[in-house]
Amino acid sequence: SSITCCPHNLRSLIMLGRAANFARTQGANPLVRHAQKQRRNMGGGGKWLETNKFGERGGEFIGTVAWLWIFHRFRQDGAVLLGFKHPWDH
């Protein structure tokens, strides 16, 4: 009694999908559904996202230093990372 994918089962699956789609879109009253719109405040209105100039410039400085360090290390070990050299050859 194994389930096989024959045209009969496929048609039943398509009909089930259409019925679910109809129930989701037309089954409930659309006026009631739209009256209860969801409102998102990002955990309190987004106040925690506000920064000052010191924080912005400090973050840019730290990010710049991090990327420069990554580029410096890639210049030293990039061939090993890409597989052009073995780590024990240098």
Side-chain angles (χ1 to χ4, degrees):
S1 75
S2 66
I3 297 175
T4 60
C5 185
C6 64
H8 176 69
N9 287 342
L10 186 60
R11 273 187 261 139
S12 298
L13 208 65
I14 290 171
M15 286 175 51
L16 181 65
R18 286 181 181 166
N21 189 26
F22 176 78
R24 187 176 22 201
T25 58
Q26 304 295 327
N29 187 356
L31 295 176
V32 173
R33 190 173 63 231
H34 290 299
Q36 300 171 355
K37 283 204 168 207
Q38 187 176 16
R39 184 170 173 218
R40 297 176 187 223
N41 287 330
M42 295 178 61
K47 266 305 207 193
W48 59 276
L49 287 175
E50 294 177 7
T51 62
N52 54 15
K53 285 291 180 188
F54 178 75
E56 289 177 11
R57 290 188 179 143
E60 287 183 11
F61 174 75
I62 291 172
T64 302
V65 169
W67 277 109
L68 288 174
W69 178 253
I70 290 169
F71 292 144
H72 171 70
R73 291 298 300 174
F74 187 78
R75 185 177 54 165
Q76 290 180 348
D77 296 332
V80 174
L81 181 65
L82 295 175
F84 296 130
K85 274 175 84 172
H86 294 293
W88 52 85
D89 285 345
H90 64 132

